[in-house]
Amino acid sequence: MSDAYVIETSDLRKTYDGPSVAGGIDALRGLSLQVPRGSIFGFLGKNGAGKTTTIKVLLGMAHATGGEARVFGLPVRERDSSVAIRRRTGFVSEDKDLYDLMTVEQIIRFTASFYSSWRNDLEYRYLRSFELPPDRKVKDLSRGMRTKLALLLALSRGAELLILDEPTSGLDPAMTEEVLQTLVTHVASQEMTVFLSSHHLTHVEQIADRVAIIDRGHIAVSGALEDLRETYRRLQLVFDGDAPEPAFRTAGALRVERRGRVITVLCNRGVDQISAEARALGAASIEVMPVSLKEIFLETVNGEN
Amino acid sequence: MLWYKSWLDTRWRFLIPLAVLVINIWGLLIEYPHIANLLRTVHIQPDALSESGVLGRQILESVAAERTYSGYIWYQWFRQNLSQLGTLCAVLLGSGSLLAGSSGAGTMFTLSLPASRNQWLIARAAVGLAQSLALVAVPSLEISLLSPKIGQHYAVSDALVHSMCLFIVAAMFFSLAFLLSTELNDIWRPLLIAGGAAVVLSIIESRYELNGIFRVMSGSTYFFAGSIPWIGLLISAVLSLAMLYGACVNVARKDF
């Protein structure tokens, strides 16, 4: 495993035992992932794809049933390593699960006590900019305020890695924008890696430089966002009469659909070769179109299904 | 700060019973002169009572013991009130693990902090046991402190020995509730199961007049013969430690 990657998993597997499920539920099925140091890594997947399970395994909240996972080069399986990983990692859970009985001030002081690298300057800055009331109990905070508090607690740790599990879930568009902007500004000023799990593609597209799409427990697509945008293309082939049965020999044609006079091909390489094959089939026109992250995502997860 | 979180989680389960027990002592001491006068007028025929079975023998023991101030304190406080309330409080304090997944418990947040599960559990158990100790020791020492107010004396050493017996056996029920709480996510099932186990044991012990844990808890051998029930206390302590160890093992293997 390499220093260039903050998170590395290899053939990671996790099966949850369930009393009503014979053989258990396979949440992760050979997940192999590499998150480069300094990247903002979007971890995309449908609900139940295995995103949260992956995060739980990385943070030592759940035990993998197979494969290997390392964070900062440390094995997540070992207890001492797991504590060391968490000392260098900020985390915001999907539920923004905090201590309801504490006040904002109490939970900040409580969390700060665990980190020698705690950044008082960031704490004061975010306390002010988020307008968090120090004396208010956590249970009395709105969802947006709770998200901001969770973010403050994660960002002020002086962490090298920030793991965010659906950080904008349940927030209105204005609050979502504020949270994303805070993240971008923070990451720009600190040397850190962000692992952002989400099914909100537009949010990921807005801030991530690399993405991986997880589907049913394994990585279906992974790479730099720009590379994905460059390599993925949709070809629309229009025929004069009914389109022929498509049979592309070129590797890279991921999905082919035929509807009347039109054949649509989603490909991630070999555009020229596929176009040549289409001409040979008698296509009257060939249009090559860029593909959005949303389309890549939908094609990937629907194709996988 | 691990201690602080455990304290915040359990403080009302500790402070309210402590207040109840402290007030209970006042009532007990205020009542003593009336009880003493009443007992002077009571004449018991030992043969008749001992022939009337378990209940008769218990009444006989109670009246015999309560003819002295130290006997009154032992029977009313250490054998009755504190044995029952102390067990209940210990079970209450042991229930509802720090890492249970109830709403607002912040389990994911807890587990994201750089402390091992064992550290959390040990802190939680230590705080709970310290609270259990305070719950039995503070009111008991209050007896020694307030007895001169009613013209009586109760030795601090007696209060401490009885408190120790009570604490060590109550710790066993605390540990049982603690162990159950690592498997059951709510506070109520561990409370009911551990509390129910204590009640059943108490009934069996009383019905069959066994030399069981509640006799160890009340320190009856110390009261009657001045000997501390070391073997019973040792067995209770070992069982407690085994259950606390079991709780750590159980939490270490769990997925959250």
Side-chain angles (χ1 to χ4, degrees):
Chain A
M1 299 229 172
S2 161
D3 278 352
Y5 301 108
V6 170
I7 297 172
E8 275 186 286
T9 71
S10 171
D11 195 29
L12 195 63
R13 292 173 187 279
K14 174 64 188 170
T15 303
Y16 286 108
D17 296 328
S20 59
V21 185
I25 300 164
D26 291 325
L28 300 179
R29 307 175 192 205
L31 183 119
S32 295
L33 183 69
Q34 291 179 322
V35 178
R37 192 176 295 277
S39 62
I40 299 182
F41 195 97
F43 192 47
L44 304 169
K46 293 196 293 188
N47 290 332
K51 301 190 297 293
T52 300
T53 299
T54 304
I55 289 173
K56 285 182 173 180
V57 169
L58 294 176
L59 290 174
M61 297 171 187
H63 306 291
T65 42
E68 192 181 3
R70 286 176 178 267
V71 179
F72 305 118
L74 300 167
V76 300
R77 279 178 192 277
E78 291 171 18
R79 194 179 65 185
D80 292 344
S81 296
S82 183
V83 172
I85 289 165
R86 278 176 271 140
R87 191 167 289 123
R88 297 163 67 183
T89 305
F91 172 61
V92 175
S93 70
E94 184 177 4
D95 298 333
K96 317 300 176 295
D97 190 29
L98 301 169
Y99 301 144
D100 282 354
L101 292 176
M102 289 189 186
T103 63
V104 169
E105 176 68 24
Q106 281 173 329
I107 199 167
I108 289 174
R109 295 276 65 81
F110 175 80
T111 310
S113 72
F114 288 89
Y115 299 93
S116 56
S117 57
W118 185 261
R119 296 278 304 273
N120 286 319
D121 57 329
L122 294 177
E123 175 200 321
Y124 298 136
R125 183 202 298 173
Y126 291 123
L127 201 56
R128 252 199 332 274
S129 66
F130 289 159
E131 297 177 340
L132 288 165
D135 298 330
R136 191 175 299 174
K137 283 254 169 78
V138 171
K139 68 177 176 187
D140 296 327
L141 295 177
S142 66
R143 181 151 184 93
M145 290 292 232
R146 189 181 265 261
T147 300
K148 287 176 174 179
L149 176 59
L151 213 51
L152 180 152
L153 296 172
L155 298 178
S156 303
R157 293 177 188 188
E160 297 165 54
L161 168 66
L162 199 55
I163 295 181
L164 308 170
D165 191 5
E166 306 281 2
T168 55
S169 68
L171 300 184
D172 62 46
M175 191 75 81
T176 297
E177 189 60 29
E178 190 183 348
V179 166
L180 292 177
Q181 281 309 316
T182 302
L183 275 176
V184 169
T185 310
H186 182 87
V187 173
S189 62
Q190 316 290 326
E191 280 187 11
M192 68 186 318
T193 307
V194 178
F195 186 74
L196 170 65
S197 158
S198 181
H199 60 262
H200 294 289
L201 303 173
T202 49
H203 303 165
V204 173
E205 208 161 16
Q206 197 176 334
I207 66 170
D209 51 25
R210 298 187 74 86
V211 295
I213 298 174
I214 180 174
D215 187 48
R216 289 181 296 173
H218 72 273
I219 298 295
V221 171
S222 179
L225 193 53
E226 281 309 308
D227 291 347
L228 292 180
R229 284 191 185 124
E230 284 297 315
T231 53
Y232 275 77
R233 286 289 182 267
R234 183 182 299 280
L235 277 73
Q236 190 162 287
L237 319 172
V238 181
F239 294 82
D240 289 332
D242 278 351
E245 191 67 42
F248 295 102
R249 289 185 303 274
T250 307
L254 302 174
R255 190 172 177 82
V256 181
E257 276 180 9
R258 185 174 65 137
R259 278 190 194 147
R261 296 192 306 126
V262 179
I263 292 176
T264 308
V265 182
L266 179 79
C267 60
N268 62 358
R269 60 185 185 276
V271 173
D272 293 340
Q273 291 93 320
I274 293 170
S275 299
E277 281 191 60
R279 272 187 218 100
L281 285 170
S285 75
I286 299 170
E287 195 177 351
V288 181
M289 295 173 285
V291 180
S292 70
L293 180 60
K294 181 179 176 182
E295 285 174 292
I296 297 171
F297 176 79
L298 290 175
E299 291 293 350
T300 303
V301 297
N302 291 335
E304 289 278 317
N305 290 337
Chain B
M1 288 303 258
L2 300 176
W3 313 97
Y4 176 64
K5 169 72 170 68
S6 297
W7 163 252
L8 281 186
D9 284 345
T10 54
R11 59 187 162 167
W12 296 117
R13 278 185 263 165
F14 165 66
L15 291 173
I16 293 170
L18 182 65
V20 169
L21 290 171
V22 164
I23 292 167
N24 199 320
I25 288 293
W26 295 347
L28 201 71
L29 298 190
I30 289 167
E31 279 297 304
Y32 176 68
H34 306 291
I35 299 288
N37 286 337
L38 185 68
L39 284 176
R40 271 195 281 274
T41 65
V42 174
H43 299 286
I44 288 184
Q45 305 217 339
D47 291 346
L49 272 176
S50 57
E51 282 166 12
S52 64
V54 174
L55 189 60
R57 282 192 288 280
Q58 284 174 353
I59 293 171
L60 186 65
E61 183 189 53
S62 159
V63 173
E66 294 188 43
R67 287 193 189 281
T68 63
Y69 180 67
S70 62
Y72 169 76
I73 292 297
W74 174 74
Y75 199 88
Q76 288 295 327
W77 182 246
F78 292 111
R79 192 178 182 282
Q80 298 281 4
N81 295 10
L82 196 54
S83 287
Q84 292 161 3
L85 291 173
T87 302
L88 179 66
C89 293
V91 167
L92 190 61
L93 286 167
S95 300
S97 165
L98 180 79
L99 296 173
S102 59
S103 172
T107 307
M108 295 289 278
F109 182 72
T110 300
L111 291 169
S112 78
L113 294 169
S116 69
R117 297 178 185 187
N118 275 355
Q119 284 174 307
W120 284 108
L121 281 186
I122 290 166
R124 174 74 170 76
V127 168
L129 288 171
Q131 288 168 330
S132 297
L133 178 61
L135 281 175
V136 296
V138 169
S140 302
L141 290 170
E142 188 191 358
I143 296 172
S144 301
L145 192 72
L146 296 181
S147 289
K149 302 278 182 199
I150 57 166
Q152 298 294 335
H153 170 76
Y154 193 78
V156 171
S157 58
D158 289 346
L160 287 175
V161 169
H162 283 298
S163 297
M164 180 190 71
C165 294
L166 268 153
F167 164 68
I168 291 174
V169 178
M172 199 172 63
F173 292 106
F174 170 91
S175 304
L176 175 61
F178 197 79
L179 173 63
L180 290 168
S181 293
T182 60
E183 196 55 45
L184 307 169
N185 276 345
D186 58 288
I187 190 172
W188 301 110
R189 282 180 293 169
L191 184 67
L192 289 173
I193 295 169
V199 170
V200 169
L201 277 175
S202 156
I203 291 170
I204 291 172
E205 200 176 306
S206 174
R207 176 73 185 81
Y208 297 103
E209 298 180 272
L210 301 173
N211 245 340
I213 51 167
F214 285 95
R215 284 204 177 261
V216 175
M217 193 179 207
S218 68
S220 62
T221 56
Y222 180 74
F223 174 71
F224 286 114
S227 63
I228 295 171
W230 290 114
I231 293 173
L233 293 177
L234 187 67
I235 291 168
S236 299
V238 168
L239 284 173
S240 292
L241 287 173
M243 285 188 278
L244 292 176
Y245 177 74
C248 287
V249 170
N250 199 30
V251 164
R253 66 162 186 81
K254 273 186 88 167
D255 290 328
F256 290 91

